C-alpha cells in the first residue's frame, strides 16, 4: 500500500510540475519535469519522523528520538549505503527494518524542518576580515545531529553578547581595522604606558582591560555590534563630539610612574657620538629581560663595552646598590646606607668609557679612604637585567646574534678590521671605500696629522681613527674603526717614516752592529725556534731602536715636531742599538745553554713538557720586536732559572713536582684567559703572564731573586680580579 501511495504521489507531483502547478512546490521554471531533490523535499514535509543517520561502527541507522533500524535487504541502499536516508515505513519483526528508503541530504532537512530544528550557538568571537562577531552553530532534528560546527553571523542571534565581544576583542583588544583617529590615539597611549611598565619594571601602572571596556561600553549604543554599524554611528557621533572615544592618560594609569622620564630611560644610547637604539622589556627569566642595545653590524666596532656597563641613569643606582651588596661585610659596612651611597655615586660620577668597577672603586677611595680591590666585587651575582643585552642586526634589520657577553659576540660576528685609505673615507660605508687613488709618502709631506675623521655609515656620522701605516718603503694615511688598532698601526708607520728620514743612520747601523756575525749564527742555529736570517734579526733590533729613540709620548703631529724628534734621536741610535744587540746576545746565549741541558729532562715527561711550553712562549721568531723592552731585559734571567731548575731536578725531583703542583692551576687559568680573548690583547692578562715567569723564578731558582714580591696567593688574587 505504501509503495502504491509513494508511486501515486510521485506521479502527481510530476504531473503538477509538467502543468506548471504550485511553483512553491516545484521550485523550477514552468514546463520542466521535477527533479529528484524537489520530489523528495516535498515528501520530507510529511515524513520528518522517518529519517535516519548511518552509524559509523555498523550498518545501523540512528532514527528520530533515538530509534535504531537497518534498511531492508530488498532495497538498493542495503548494500550501497548512504549517510542520510528517508524511509516510507518502519516494520518491526525480530529487528526494526526500513522499507521504501531514499537518499537525502542534511541541508534538505534544515530547509524542510526548520521549525523543528534545535540550535545551539557557541564560541562567539570577533573576525577582523568580516568585521563582525561570528559564532558556531550546532543544530539537531529529533535528536539527530545535522551540523556540528557551522559558522554563522552571531549579531542577529544575540545582539547584547555580540556587542560585548565586539568591544572587548575589536576595540580593547585592538583587532579592529579602522582609520579612525581615536583608535590610533588610544592604542599609542596604551603602548606608551606599557613601555613605562617595562622601564619601571613594575606591571601595575596600566589599568586592566575592564576599565577600558567600561569606557567604550558607556559611550557606544546598545544596538552596535559589528564594524559597519559602528563606523556609521561613529562618524555621526563625532560631528557633535570629535573626542568622544578618546582615552586620556589619567584614565589609563593606576598611579604616576614617578621618575620614568626620557632622561632617566632614554630611547637611545650615545657612544662617542654614535647612537644605538635601546629597548626595554620586563620579562624575568627570558633572554631579552632588561635593556637591549640594538647594534647594526656595520657599527659593531663603535660599541664600547665599558660604557655599556653603566647602563642608563634610571637603572644605574640599582646596579650600584647590588654591586655594593656583593662586597664582604668588613668593606660593605663602611658604605651604609647603601641606597644613599649609590644615589650619591650616580649624582657625582658621570657615565664614561671607564670600567664601572674601576670608577666605583676610585669613588670609594676618594669618599671613604678605603681601598677596595676589584676582585672584591662579585658582578656575576647580579640579576641578568642589570647587564646590558646586545642584539646584532644586519642591514635589513634581521637578528644575527644576541647575548650579554659583548666580547664573545664581537669575536663571532665582527669582520676583521681592514684599514681604509683616508682618500676613501669620504665615501666609506661599512668599512669599505671606493676612492680613486691612494697616496704613498716617504717624508712628512701630508700636512698636520689629525687623529680622527668622520664618515657616513649606517645612516650616522662615524668617527674613524687615523693612522700612518707602514708599507715597507713608504707609508700611507689610513683610518681604523677602533682607537687601539689605529694606535698600533700608527706607531709602526711613524717608525718607518723616521727610518726613511734617518736612512743614513740605518745603513750605518746595518754595517756596525756589534757582534753581528755571532748573533746571526745563534739566531740561525739548527733546531732553534727562530728560524730566521741575520737580516731579520737586524731588522728587529733596528725597529726596537727607533721605537725607543723616536716614539716617546706624545707622538709628533706635524712636520716641525717630527723633524725635531728625528734630530734628537740621531745621536742616540747607535748607543741604543748596541745595548739591544748585547741584550739579544745574552738571550740567545742563555737559550743555547738551555738547549744543551734539555736532554736531561727526558726521564721526567711532565717537567720536560712544562719547560718546552715556557720556552715556546718566551722565544719565537720575532721575540725581540714583539717583547716590550722592559720585559725583554728579564728574559736572560728566566732562561737562567730554567737551567737552575734542570740542575736541581736531578737531585730533588719531589721538590720540582711540588712547585709544579702550585704552578699548574695558575698556568691553566692563564691559558683559558688567553683563549677567551679570541685574538684580542688584554693588558691585565699579559701582565699576569709575566708575573707567572717571576713566580717560576721564585719557586725554582730563588737565588736569582725577583724585582717584585710574588707568591701563589698574590697571583690567585690577581687572577680573581681579572676574572671579575
Amino acid at each position: 500500500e505504501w509503495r502504491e501511495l509513494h508511486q501515486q504521489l510521485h506521479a502527481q507531483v510530476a504531473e503538477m510540475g509538467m502543468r506548471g502547478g504550485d511553483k512553491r512546490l516545484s521550485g523550477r521554471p514552468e514546463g520542466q519535469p521535477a527533479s529528484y531533490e524537489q520530489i523528495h523535499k516535498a515528501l520530507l514535509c510529511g515524513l520528518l519522523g522517518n529519517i535516519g543517520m548511518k552509524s559509523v561502527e555498523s550498518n545501523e541507522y540512528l532514527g528520530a528520538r533515538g530509534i535504531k533500524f537497518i534498511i531492508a535487504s530488498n532495497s538498493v541502499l542495503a548494500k550501497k549505503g548512504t549517510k542520510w536516508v528517508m524511509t516510507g515505513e518502519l516494520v518491526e519483526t525480530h529487528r526494526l527494518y526500513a522499507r521504501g528508503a531514499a537518499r537525502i541530504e542534511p541541508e534538505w532537512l534544515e530547509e524542510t524542518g526548520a521549525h523543528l530544528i534545535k540550535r545551539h550557538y557557541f564560541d562567539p568571537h570577533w573576525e577582523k576580515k568580516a568585521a563582525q562577531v561570528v559564532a558556531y552553530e550546532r543544530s539537531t532534528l529529533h535528536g539527530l545531529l545535522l551540523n556540528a560546527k557551522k559558522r554563522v553571523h552571531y549579531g542577529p542571534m544575540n545582539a547584547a553578547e555580540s556587542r560585548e565581544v565586539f568591544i572587548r576583542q575589536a576595540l580593547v583588544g585592538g583587532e579592529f581595522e579602522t582609520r579612525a583617529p581615536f583608535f590610533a590615539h588610544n592604542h599609542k597611549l596604551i603602548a606608551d604606558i606599557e613601555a613605562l611598565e617595562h622601564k619601571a619594571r613594575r606591571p601595575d601602572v596600566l589599568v586592566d582591560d575592564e576599565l577600558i571596556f567600561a569606557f567604550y561600553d558607556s559611550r557606544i549604543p546598545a544596538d552596535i555590534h559589528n564594524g559597519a554599524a559602528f563606523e556609521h554611528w561613529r562618524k555621526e557621533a563625532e560631528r557633535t563630539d570629535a573626542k568622544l572615544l578618546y582615552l586620556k592618560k589619567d584614565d589609563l594609569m593606576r598611579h604616576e610612574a614617578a621618575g620614568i622620564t626620557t632622561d632617566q630611560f632614554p630611547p637611545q644610547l650615545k657612544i662617542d657620538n654614535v647612537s644605538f637604539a635601546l629597548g626595554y622589556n620586563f620579562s624575568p627569566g627570558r633572554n631579552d629581560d632588561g635593556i637591549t642595545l640594538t647594534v647594526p653590524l656595520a657599527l659593531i666596532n663603535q660599541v664600547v663595552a665599558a660604557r655599556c656597563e653603566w647602563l642608563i641613569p634610571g637603572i644605574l643606582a640599582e646596579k650600584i646598590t647590588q654591586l655594593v651588596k656583593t662586597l664582604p661585610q668588613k668593606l660593605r659596612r663602611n658604605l651604609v646606607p647603601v641606597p644613599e651611597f649609590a644615589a650619591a655615586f650616580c649624582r657625582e660620577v658621570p657615565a664614561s668609557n671607564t670600567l664601572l668597577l674601576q670608577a666605583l672603586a676610585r669613588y670609594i677611595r676618594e669618599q671613604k679612604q678605603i681601598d677596595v680591590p676589584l676582585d672584591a666585587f662579585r658582578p656575576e651575582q647580579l640579576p641578568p637585567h642589570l647587564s646590558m643585552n646586545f642584539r646584532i642586526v644586519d642591514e635589513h634589520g634581521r637578528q644575527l646574534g644576541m647575548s650579554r657577553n659583548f666580547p664573545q659576540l664581537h669575536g663571532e660576528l665582527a669582520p676583521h678590521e681592514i684599514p681604509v685609505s683616508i682618500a676613501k673615507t669620504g665615501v666609506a660605508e661599512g668599512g669599505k671605500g671606493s676612492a680613486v687613488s691612494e697616496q704613498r709618502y716617504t717624508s712628512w709631506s701630508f700636512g698636520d696629522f689629525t687623529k680622527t675623521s668622520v664618515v657616513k655609515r649606517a645612516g650616522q656620522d662615524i668617527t674613524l681613527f687615523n693612522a700612518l701605516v707602514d708599507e715597507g718603503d713608504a707609508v700611507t694615511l689610513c683610518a681604523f674603526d677602533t682607537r687601539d688598532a689605529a694606535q698600533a698601526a700608527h706607531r709602526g708607520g711613524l717608525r718607518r717614516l723616521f727610518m726613511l728620514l734617518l736612512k743614513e743612520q740605518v745603513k750605518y747601523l746595518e754595517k756596525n752592529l756589534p757582534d753581528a756575525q755571532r748573533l746571526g749564527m745563534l739566531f740561525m742555529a739548527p733546531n732553534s725556534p727562530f728560524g730566521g736570517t741575520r737580516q731579520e734579526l737586524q731588522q728587529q733590533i733596528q725597529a726596537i731602536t727607533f721605537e725607543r729613540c723616536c716614539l716617546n709620548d706624545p707622538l709628533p703631529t706635524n712636520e716641525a715636531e717630527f723633524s725635531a724628534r728625528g734630530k734628537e734621536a740621531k745621536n742616540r741610535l747607535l748607543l741604543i742599538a748596541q745595548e739591544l744587540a748585547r741584550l739579544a746576545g745574552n738571550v740567545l746565549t742563555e737559550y743555547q745553554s738551555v738547549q744543551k741541558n734539555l736532554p736531561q729532562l727526558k726521564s721526567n715527561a711532565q717537567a720536560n713538557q712544562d719547560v718546552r711550553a715556557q720556552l715556546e712562549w718566551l722565544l719565537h721568531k720575532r721575540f725581540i720586536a714583539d717583547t716590550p723592552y722592559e720585559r725583554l731585559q728579564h728574559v736572560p734571567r728566566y732562561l737562567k732559572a730554567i737551567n737552575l731548575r734542570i740542575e736541581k731536578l736531578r737531585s730533588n725531583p719531589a721538590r720540582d713536582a711540588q712547585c709544579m703542583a702550585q704552578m699548574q692551576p695558575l698556568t691553566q687559568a692563564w691559558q683559558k684567559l688567553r683563549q677567551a680573548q679570541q685574538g684580542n690583547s688584554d693588558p691585565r692578562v699579559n701582565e699576569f703572564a709575566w708575573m707567572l715567569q717571576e713566580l717560576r723564578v721564585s719557586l725554582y731558582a730563588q737565588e736569582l731573586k725577583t724585582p717584585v714580591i710574588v707568591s701563589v696567593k698574590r697571583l690567585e688574587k690577581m687572577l680573581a680580579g681579572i676574572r671579575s
Side-chain angles (χ1 to χ4, degrees):
E1 290 177 0
W2 160 251
R3 281 195 296 272
E4 290 176 1
L5 178 61
H6 182 275
Q7 289 171 358
Q8 291 173 9
L9 183 56
H10 194 294
Q12 289 173 6
V13 170
E15 185 180 355
M16 290 172 66
M18 291 295 291
R19 293 200 308 265
D22 191 348
K23 291 184 180 179
R24 291 176 300 170
L25 180 64
S26 64
R28 57 172 183 76
E30 184 177 351
Q32 289 186 7
S35 67
Y36 180 91
E37 177 181 343
Q38 292 164 344
I39 293 171
H40 286 80
K41 278 184 181 179
L43 293 172
L44 267 174
C45 293
L47 295 172
L48 286 173
N50 283 21
I51 60 174
M53 182 177 68
K54 193 172 186 297
S55 172
V56 178
E57 294 83 9
S58 65
N59 290 328
E60 258 189 341
Y61 280 78
L62 180 64
R65 302 176 186 85
I67 64 171
K68 293 182 180 179
F69 61 84
I70 60 174
I71 297 176
S73 59
N74 61 347
S75 171
V76 292
L77 294 179
K79 294 180 181 179
K80 204 183 248 185
T82 183
K83 174 108 183 196
W84 287 89
V85 297
M86 171 182 67
T87 176
E89 63 177 338
L90 293 170
V91 179
E92 187 171 4
T93 55
H94 64 286
R95 298 189 66 176
L96 188 61
Y97 287 95
R99 293 179 178 175
R103 175 187 58 79
I104 60 172
E105 298 296 333
E107 293 82 12
W108 305 351
L109 296 172
E110 289 191 63
E111 180 182 339
T112 308
H115 59 294
L116 298 175
I117 291 176
K118 293 182 179 179
R119 305 177 191 276
H120 168 66
Y121 301 98
F122 61 96
D123 191 19
H125 60 279
W126 174 256
E127 281 198 357
K128 183 187 286 189
K129 188 174 181 181
Q132 62 186 16
V133 177
V134 170
Y136 296 109
E137 179 186 270
R138 185 177 186 272
S139 56
T140 59
L141 175 62
H142 295 320
L144 297 177
L145 182 64
L146 300 181
N147 272 303
K149 195 175 182 181
K150 180 182 178 182
R151 177 184 172 277
V152 294
H153 181 198
Y154 192 55
M157 285 53 168
N158 192 329
E161 188 178 357
S162 294
R163 177 178 178 273
E164 182 178 348
V165 172
F166 166 67
I167 294 175
R168 289 191 185 280
Q169 296 184 14
L171 299 181
V172 179
E175 296 181 13
F176 187 32
E177 289 186 348
T178 177
R179 295 182 180 179
F182 88 91
F183 194 73
H185 167 271
N186 291 353
H187 280 272
K188 183 181 183 303
L189 197 57
I190 291 171
D192 290 344
I193 297 173
E194 287 175 341
L196 289 179
E197 289 185 327
H198 286 291
K199 291 177 179 180
R201 299 190 65 77
R202 51 184 303 179
D204 60 345
V205 180
L206 180 67
V207 299
D208 58 26
D209 289 348
E210 288 301 321
L211 290 176
I212 304 175
F213 172 83
F215 170 83
Y216 287 119
D217 185 41
S218 64
R219 286 161 173 77
I220 298 174
D223 59 338
I224 302 297
H225 54 71
N226 60 58
F230 174 80
E231 290 287 21
H232 178 75
W233 166 80
R234 176 188 64 80
K235 290 173 183 176
E236 291 295 327
E238 286 181 351
R239 290 177 183 175
T240 307
D241 184 0
K243 301 290 183 180
L244 175 66
L245 297 175
Y246 276 65
L247 283 162
K248 297 178 182 177
K249 195 171 185 179
D250 293 341
D251 298 333
L252 294 174
M253 295 180 69
R254 285 195 179 97
H255 53 76
E256 286 295 326
I260 312 301
T261 63
T262 304
D263 291 337
Q264 294 294 304
F265 295 85
Q268 294 181 323
L269 180 67
K270 187 167 280 191
I271 303 176
D272 293 335
N273 295 321
V274 180
S275 295
F276 298 92
L278 289 174
Y280 300 88
N281 191 19
F282 178 45
S283 302
R286 290 186 55 180
N287 291 337
D288 59 349
D289 183 35
I291 311 172
T292 298
L293 186 81
T294 299
V295 182
L297 184 62
L299 303 179
I300 193 170
N301 288 329
Q302 272 61 49
V303 176
V304 180
R307 170 62 186 87
C308 296
E309 292 180 1
W310 295 73
L311 299 177
I312 56 169
I315 295 182
L316 181 59
E318 181 188 354
K319 183 170 185 176
I320 298 300
T321 300
Q322 295 298 327
L323 281 171
V324 171
K325 287 181 178 179
T326 66
L327 289 172
Q329 174 63 27
K330 63 180 181 180
L331 295 173
R332 189 172 67 246
R333 67 187 180 189
N334 298 290
L335 307 177
V336 293
V338 175
E340 293 182 11
F341 170 81
F345 173 85
C346 295
R347 283 195 308 271
E348 299 172 22
V349 182
S352 67
N353 291 348
T354 305
L355 290 169
L356 179 60
L357 291 183
Q358 289 182 354
L360 182 56
R362 187 186 306 121
Y363 181 77
I364 294 172
R365 184 166 57 250
E366 292 171 355
Q367 299 296 318
K368 306 292 184 180
Q369 288 72 52
I370 300 170
D371 284 326
V372 178
L374 296 184
D375 58 348
F377 294 101
R378 292 287 180 268
E380 67 276 4
Q381 296 178 7
L382 267 58
H385 75 272
L386 294 180
S387 297
M388 185 71 80
N389 189 38
F390 298 90
R391 177 172 171 264
I392 313 300
V393 297
D394 63 12
E395 65 272 18
H396 304 295
R398 293 174 297 205
Q399 181 173 307
L400 301 176
M402 187 167 71
S403 173
R404 299 186 194 274
N405 187 340
F406 181 75
Q408 180 182 356
L409 268 183
H410 187 276
E412 293 173 356
L413 299 175
H416 295 295
E417 186 163 5
I418 302 173
V420 182
S421 168
I422 294 291
K424 299 179 181 182
T425 55
V427 290
E429 176 66 30
K432 297 179 181 178
S434 57
V436 245
S437 64
E438 195 170 301
Q439 185 73 40
R440 293 164 62 86
Y441 302 96
T442 56
S443 64
W444 196 296
S445 56
F446 43 81
D448 292 351
F449 175 78
T450 55
K451 294 184 179 180
T452 60
S453 54
V454 178
V455 299
K456 275 280 185 190
R457 187 182 295 175
Q460 297 199 58
D461 289 333
I462 303 301
T463 300
L464 298 183
F465 301 93
N466 301 332
L468 290 169
V469 176
D470 184 4
E471 300 290 350
D473 58 347
V475 297
T476 55
L477 268 171
C478 292
F480 291 78
D481 277 348
T482 59
R483 190 188 305 273
D484 290 345
Q487 288 177 347
H490 187 58
R491 296 186 74 86
L494 262 183
R495 184 173 60 235
R496 174 62 60 190
L497 209 56
F498 275 116
M499 293 176 76
L500 292 170
L501 175 69
L502 303 172
K503 54 188 174 184
E504 296 301 325
Q505 283 70 25
V506 171
K507 291 180 182 178
Y508 184 81
L509 288 178
E510 290 174 352
K511 294 179 181 178
N512 296 279
L513 197 66
D515 213 6
Q517 187 173 356
R518 188 179 74 87
L519 286 177
M521 294 298 292
L522 290 172
F523 194 70
M524 295 185 294
N527 301 323
S528 73
F530 315 117
T533 63
R534 175 179 169 181
Q535 185 181 7
E536 289 174 340
L537 176 64
Q538 288 180 337
Q539 288 173 351
Q540 290 188 57
I541 293 175
Q542 286 175 11
I544 298 302
T545 299
F546 275 86
E547 181 89 22
R548 293 188 60 201
C549 292
C550 303
L551 300 184
N552 301 321
D553 290 329
L555 298 176
T557 58
N558 55 54
E559 188 176 8
E561 293 175 359
F562 175 75
S563 300
R565 184 73 61 88
K567 190 174 180 181
E568 290 174 9
K570 186 186 268 189
N571 297 325
R572 295 192 296 130
L573 288 172
L574 183 58
L575 291 174
I576 298 297
Q578 290 173 343
E579 179 186 345
L580 284 168
R582 281 193 294 271
L583 179 56
N586 291 339
V587 172
L588 294 171
T589 302
E590 290 296 336
Y591 176 73
Q592 287 297 316
S593 177
V594 170
Q595 283 292 98
K596 290 177 183 177
N597 291 327
L598 276 179
Q600 299 178 32
L601 293 176
K602 285 184 178 179
S603 58
N604 191 323
Q606 195 174 9
N608 184 41
Q609 184 180 357
D610 184 49
V611 168
R612 291 186 182 278
Q614 181 186 3
L615 289 171
E616 184 180 346
W617 185 78
L618 281 174
L619 301 174
H620 46 85
K621 186 175 182 178
R622 290 187 52 80
F623 79 94
I624 297 174
D626 294 345
T627 306
Y629 178 74
E630 61 273 11
R631 297 298 182 187
L632 189 62
Q633 296 176 84
H634 299 289
V635 173
R637 180 165 55 88
Y638 300 150
L639 296 172
K640 286 180 182 178
I642 293 174
N643 276 325
L644 285 172
R645 175 185 179 181
I646 294 172
E647 291 177 14
K648 293 177 181 179
L649 182 62
R650 286 181 299 177
S651 58
N652 194 352
R655 183 181 180 281
D656 189 278
Q658 290 174 357
C659 294
M660 279 191 65
Q662 296 179 67
M663 284 290 304
Q664 197 169 20
L666 294 170
T667 305
Q668 290 174 349
W670 166 68
Q671 289 172 346
K672 288 180 181 178
L673 288 173
R674 285 181 70 193
Q675 292 172 359
Q677 289 183 104
Q678 296 183 347
N680 299 319
S681 181
D682 187 340
R684 298 172 301 167
V685 177
N686 293 338
E687 175 70 17
F688 184 75
W690 289 109
M691 291 304 294
L692 280 176
Q693 299 303 318
E694 295 295 343
L695 182 61
R696 287 180 177 276
V697 175
S698 177
L699 292 175
Y700 297 114
Q702 292 180 351
E703 56 267 42
L704 295 179
K705 298 183 181 179
T706 58
V708 293
I709 300 173
V710 64
S711 66
V712 172
K713 286 187 177 180
R714 284 177 180 268
L715 264 67
E716 286 175 346
K717 193 172 182 180
M718 184 178 181
L719 178 63
I722 295 172
R723 284 172 170 166
S724 66

